[in-house]
Structure formats: C-alpha cells, structure tokens
Amino acid sequence: MVIREALINGKDGCCNSDGDRQTTQERRERISAAVKYAWEAYRRDALGYDEFRPLSHSGTNMTQQGIGYFVADVLDTLWLAGLQKEYAEARRFLVDHVTYNQTGSVSLFETTIRVLGGLLSAFHLSGESDTQLLHLVDELGTRLAYSFETDSGIPPETASLQHQKHVYAYQSSTAEISTLQLEFRYLAKLTGKRRYRKYVDKIMDVVLKAPKWDGLVPIYFNAVTRRFTGDTIRLGSRGDSYYEYLLKQWLQTSQTEPRFREEYDTAMEGVKKYLAAVSPNQNLTFIGELLSPNNANPEFSPKMDHLVCFLSGNLALGATQGRSLAEMSPLELSASNREDLVLARELAETCVRMYFDTASGLAPEIAYFRWTNPATGVEKPFDINTQLVKPNGDILVHASDRHNLLRPETVESLFILWCITGEAKWRDYGWQIFEAFEQWARLPDGHGYSNLLDVTVVPPQHADKMETFFVSETLKYLYLLFSDSSTVPLSCYVFNTEAHPLPHFAWNK
C-alpha cells in the first residue's frame, strides 16, 4: 500500500515550496560546514597522516611514510560539498607527497575501498582529465594487485606494497575478498589494463562456485579448499559487503552480467527466509544472525550490527535499479521487488530507532533485540536492568557494544530511500541524526569530531579517533540527502562500500 501511494503521489524527492527549498539549502550548507570543520582540524593537526586523533592533536601512519589514507578517502567529499579550496590542497598533497613505491604492508580491503576508491571517484568527478591522479591510482592498483598472485586467485587480507615471489592465502574474510571488484573493474576500464579485471573476476569465479546456504554464506573463505568456512552467517562485519557488491557489480556494468544479479536475488530470498525477524513490542524488523549453519538445527541470534543498516538502501536500490518510484509504472515492480521495498522501509525504521531510543540520539555499534522463538513461543532471556535501552522497548545493548564510531550505514540508506521514494521523513530522520552528531561528537575550538564511548549516557565521553569514513561516508551521504537527486543519480552511479561514487559503464567488446 505504501509503495502504491508513493507511485500515485508522484513524489520525486524535489522540494514542494520555497520554504522547503530554503530549509533544504540551509541544512546542506550546515553539513558542508561540518565537512570543512572536520577537514580543517585534520589539516592543522595531522595533515599527511593516515589516521587522525583529534583529542591528542596528532596522527598515525599505516606504513613508515604513510599512504595518503585519510586524504584520499575524503577527497571526493570535499569536491561534492563544494569546498574547492580544500579539495585543491588535498589533491596537491597527494600528487606532491604520496608514493606507493615503499616498503610496508597494508590491508588490501581497506586500502582498496578507501584509497583506490577515493582516488578513482575524485578522478571521475573532477572531469577525468587529472593525469596525475590517474597515475597515482594506477601505481597503487599495480602494487595492491601483487596480492592476487596466489594459486587460487584468492588474496590474503594483507597486501605488501613490494612484489613478493610467493604470495600465499589460507583463510580470508568473505567480505574482504569480495569487496574489491568495483574498484579494480573501473580501474581496468580507465587504464585499459585488462589484468585488473581478470584478477577480481577470478575471485568471483571461485566464490560463486562454492556451496552456499540458500544463497547465504559464512564469514570466512578458505583459499585452499575454495569453500566458505566458519560458524556464523551474518550481514554485519566480515559478511556485509559480499551481498552489497553482488548487486553493484551487476549495476556497474549496465546490467550486462546477470550472474551477479541472480546470486544477489537468491541471497536476498535467504535473508527473508532465515534472518529477518520482528520484535514483540515495538514491531521492529531486524536482520539477525545464524549460528552453526551446518548443524541440523542452526541457532538464530537476534543480534544486529549497525553495519547491517546498509541493507535497507541496498534492497531499495535492487528493487528499482536506482530509479525513483515516481518515474516507474507499478507494473515494472515484480512481487519480489515489492517485498524488498517493504523490507527496506521496515529495516530503515528499525535502524532509526537504534538512534532515537538512546539517551544521546545516536546508535550503538551493535544491538540485540527482544525476540520470541516462533517454534517454542519462549522469549530469549535478557537483563532488563543492564541491557534494555528504553523502558518497554525491544532494543538491547550490551555494555561492550555501546560505543559509536560515527558510522554511515543508516544515513546511507536514508539517502537512497529519499532518492527512490521522495518521502520527506527520510530527510527528517537524517537531520535529527546530524544534529545529534553535532551535539555530542563535535569537539570545541576547531578540533573536529570524535568517536563516542557510550551512547546510552549524556554527555557521552569522547574517544581519541575521528574515522576517515565519518567524512568520506557519513557526512557525504548527509550532504547528498539534502542535495538534488541529480547530483549523483543512483540510476547512473554505484557507490562503493566507502561511499565513493563510480559511474556505470559497459565493457568494450
């Protein structure tokens, strides 16, 4: 019914009055100012360092020289937020001071999604004419690609920046080996170097042949046996972006590689069958975890990482391929796509409640939900005095999970849902979340923003870290949430898992 109403109303995300437009512009400018505030703190206290510690006014590196980790990751956010002066100084630092011809090892996954992805996106958004940026990204791609030279083609989790005679991989994170493809495939398209595509396509060849559990997979992959391994199936850490990139690989190459969409659809049916559940009091739809899936009676756990909140936007994106409902006929949506849109909306509401039900208005890193086993009618026990966030609520937070890293997944989904449905409430939710970040995570005197240790108390204590993804993802998605949907149209771009927009393209025959 809700989907049908959105189609009938013809909402496309545009503001309906001069007052709406003024409010939207003011909010967008506030978010742009937040990007600038975060960048200026980093530039003053830690420019050139890979990570930023705002309380100690310092930075740390991942290699002896650093790899431009922070700067590359935030570069396209500076561009999109209209901060041309800041973009120019960030770009100048990268091309003048960063080289990947150095010793040291880095995370293959994190460096690919943040640095390679950030450089690729900035190169595209700035006009695809910046040869110095392209040279830098090609140099990095060459060195990261050494890690693909294993017997199976499955890379280890750590990449050496110098060529090794023998690269060996045993067990790797499922998400980490299957979340390299958008970046290397686009690099292959830009440079004409087919080996980049060959490497990451080989990974998918191996992964897609491995046995699965109705499309669902455990969170580790054994490169020797070429099978998934581990006792947990989840869409949180180490599992999330495997499912995300199945859909986005299909979208990236203009829907010309159906095997990725088919595998994605199978997996989403598995999610709806085994992992989706509803809490008893607040009727919150959540995505749990499956423990010991190879046992005769696998156990369901009502645990959901904040990371899982990406799924809401991904489901909506898959349902319409990024098109707004206003431009579609109801007949264009299959029954399965309608189900996915309903689940997307319900899950987004749950993710928002993870924010609004805490004292600070910000979400914990992990939540558990009150849940009644449908087979026995017995509710899973919990400690009402130490875990329940809201009286008579359904969200439970363990003491060790109450921190907030200023993550993007919820606002990512709000942005996608706003683009697709045009409903103002997604913007309203996003603004409330932004204001909570401003109230509790913003440091005084120009020192940027900081992670929080416990969102269930006010004021929450700060941690000495400002993650690169707060600027590259969280603030970017918030900025785009209050921008025209044509700024980065979802029907023409895929966002990598670090929020770097990459254009759709077709392979040359």
Side-chain angles (χ1 to χ4, degrees):
M1 180 64 179
V2 173
I3 299 169
R4 176 64 179 167
E5 286 174 355
L7 285 164
I8 292 173
N9 291 339
K11 296 177 181 178
D12 64 357
C14 296
C15 302
N16 297 318
S17 69
D18 291 341
D20 288 340
R21 281 190 288 271
Q22 181 177 354
T23 298
T24 299
Q25 181 178 347
E26 290 171 353
R27 290 179 173 183
R28 184 169 61 248
E29 290 172 354
R30 281 274 310 278
I31 297 165
S32 178
V35 174
K36 184 175 182 179
Y37 188 82
W39 168 257
E40 288 184 341
Y42 167 78
R43 179 181 56 79
R44 183 188 62 244
D45 292 339
L47 181 63
Y49 285 99
D50 292 332
E51 297 186 299
F52 178 36
R53 302 195 176 279
L55 297 182
S56 55
H57 315 305
S58 64
T60 58
N61 276 334
M62 297 177 174
T63 65
Q64 186 173 358
Q65 295 175 239
I67 59 171
Y69 191 79
F70 192 105
V71 180
D73 202 13
V74 308
L75 190 61
D76 61 352
T77 302
L78 298 175
W79 178 276
L80 287 168
L83 301 174
Q84 293 302 308
K85 173 179 174 292
E86 290 77 10
Y87 175 87
E89 63 187 2
R91 177 205 169 275
R92 177 52 55 194
F93 171 82
L94 288 167
V95 300
D96 286 353
H97 299 288
V98 173
T99 177
Y100 299 110
N101 183 15
Q102 56 173 291
T103 59
S105 297
V106 296
S107 165
L108 175 61
F109 165 72
E110 297 289 359
T111 307
T112 297
I113 66 171
R114 300 194 196 205
V115 184
L116 196 69
L119 293 172
L120 285 168
S121 178
F123 174 75
H124 170 75
L125 293 173
S126 61
E128 294 195 357
S129 60
D130 191 334
T131 56
Q132 290 179 301
L133 270 188
L134 184 60
H135 172 77
L136 193 63
V137 74
D138 190 23
E139 179 190 10
L140 177 59
T142 296
R143 294 181 178 278
L144 293 178
Y146 298 152
S147 298
F148 300 129
E149 297 174 1
T150 64
D151 292 340
S152 65
I154 301 297
E157 293 183 354
T158 300
S160 171
L161 294 175
Q162 295 293 322
H163 192 267
Q164 306 290 312
K165 287 186 178 180
H166 301 287
V167 181
Y168 180 77
Y170 173 61
Q171 181 169 279
S172 297
S173 160
T174 296
E176 293 193 11
I177 63 171
S178 56
T179 313
L180 310 166
Q181 285 69 20
L182 297 183
E183 299 81 1
F184 276 95
R185 285 151 65 91
Y186 185 47
L187 182 58
K189 176 69 174 177
L190 286 177
T191 63
K193 296 179 179 179
R194 299 178 63 185
R195 67 178 182 273
Y196 290 136
R197 178 191 179 188
K198 181 179 177 182
Y199 284 135
V200 294
D201 279 359
K202 184 176 181 181
I203 294 173
M204 295 309 298
D205 291 341
V206 174
V207 166
L208 293 183
K209 289 177 182 176
K212 301 173 183 66
W213 215 78
D214 282 9
L216 304 178
V217 298
I219 59 173
Y220 291 101
F221 193 87
N222 187 306
V224 178
T225 64
R226 304 189 184 197
R227 288 175 175 264
F228 293 98
T229 184
D231 293 328
T232 304
I233 288 175
R234 65 172 177 242
L235 274 74
S237 60
R238 297 189 177 275
D240 48 1
S241 48
Y242 162 76
Y243 304 95
E244 177 187 0
Y245 270 38
L246 287 177
L247 174 66
K248 290 183 176 179
Q249 287 179 80
W250 176 69
L251 292 172
Q252 182 185 40
T253 53
S254 304
Q255 306 176 27
T256 58
E257 298 176 89
R259 65 173 182 158
F260 298 123
R261 178 71 204 221
E262 292 165 4
E263 199 71 38
Y264 169 79
D265 286 338
T266 300
M268 292 305 100
E269 289 304 311
V271 168
K272 288 181 277 189
K273 183 177 181 181
Y274 298 108
L275 303 183
V278 179
S279 70
N281 295 332
Q282 293 178 285
N283 294 316
L284 300 176
T285 298
F286 64 94
I287 305 298
E289 301 183 357
L290 210 57
L291 310 180
S292 303
N294 293 319
N295 291 353
N297 296 301
E299 178 185 353
F300 178 81
S301 171
K303 166 181 175 283
M304 189 172 90
D305 297 0
H306 183 276
L307 289 165
V308 179
C309 291
F310 90 92
L311 183 63
S312 170
N314 220 63
L315 285 164
L317 185 64
T320 73
Q321 295 83 59
R323 297 167 63 194
S324 74
L325 292 174
E327 63 188 44
M328 298 179 67
S329 160
L331 298 178
E332 293 183 74
L333 287 172
S334 68
S336 178
N337 285 336
R338 287 174 175 272
E339 288 181 2
D340 287 356
L341 272 175
V342 170
L343 180 56
R345 295 169 58 88
E346 292 176 351
L347 182 58
E349 295 283 357
T350 299
C351 291
V352 166
R353 289 263 64 88
M354 287 170 62
Y355 284 77
F356 298 164
D357 282 4
T358 69
S360 65
L362 292 171
E365 178 71 1
I366 298 170
Y368 289 75
F369 291 83
R370 296 179 66 170
W371 174 71
T372 300
N373 188 327
T376 65
V378 176
E379 183 173 355
K380 189 176 180 67
F382 65 96
D383 186 340
I384 193 170
N385 294 313
T386 62
Q387 296 178 9
L388 191 62
V389 169
K390 179 180 179 180
N392 300 315
D394 287 336
I395 298 175
L396 313 171
V397 184
H398 299 176
S400 59
D401 302 329
R402 294 175 180 173
H403 54 288
N404 182 290
L405 304 182
L406 318 187
R407 285 196 183 277
E409 290 78 21
T410 295
V411 295
E412 170 187 358
S413 288
L414 297 181
F415 160 66
I416 295 172
L417 284 168
W418 171 76
C419 288
I420 288 173
T421 72
E423 294 172 322
K425 70 174 180 177
W426 308 118
R427 277 181 161 175
D428 294 339
Y429 292 158
W431 186 248
Q432 290 182 63
I433 291 170
F434 173 71
E435 289 195 308
F437 281 133
E438 287 291 283
Q439 182 176 7
W440 303 119
R442 184 180 175 112
L443 299 172
D445 304 321
H447 292 305
Y449 295 80
S450 175
N451 296 349
L452 302 170
L453 296 178
D454 186 349
V455 296
T456 67
V457 298
V458 290
Q461 185 178 351
H462 293 107
D464 194 13
K465 186 75 174 289
M466 185 176 84
E467 304 284 354
T468 68
F469 57 66
F470 176 62
V471 182
S472 70
E473 297 189 73
T474 306
L475 291 179
K476 180 187 293 158
Y477 281 127
L478 284 165
Y479 183 83
L480 291 174
L481 179 61
F482 293 96
S483 300
D484 189 278
S485 58
S486 64
T487 303
V488 184
L490 294 177
S491 58
C492 301
Y493 285 85
V494 288
F495 286 81
N496 86 336
T497 200
E498 190 72 7
H500 298 304
L502 304 174
H504 294 179
F505 63 85
W507 296 114
N508 295 326
K509 296 183 179 180

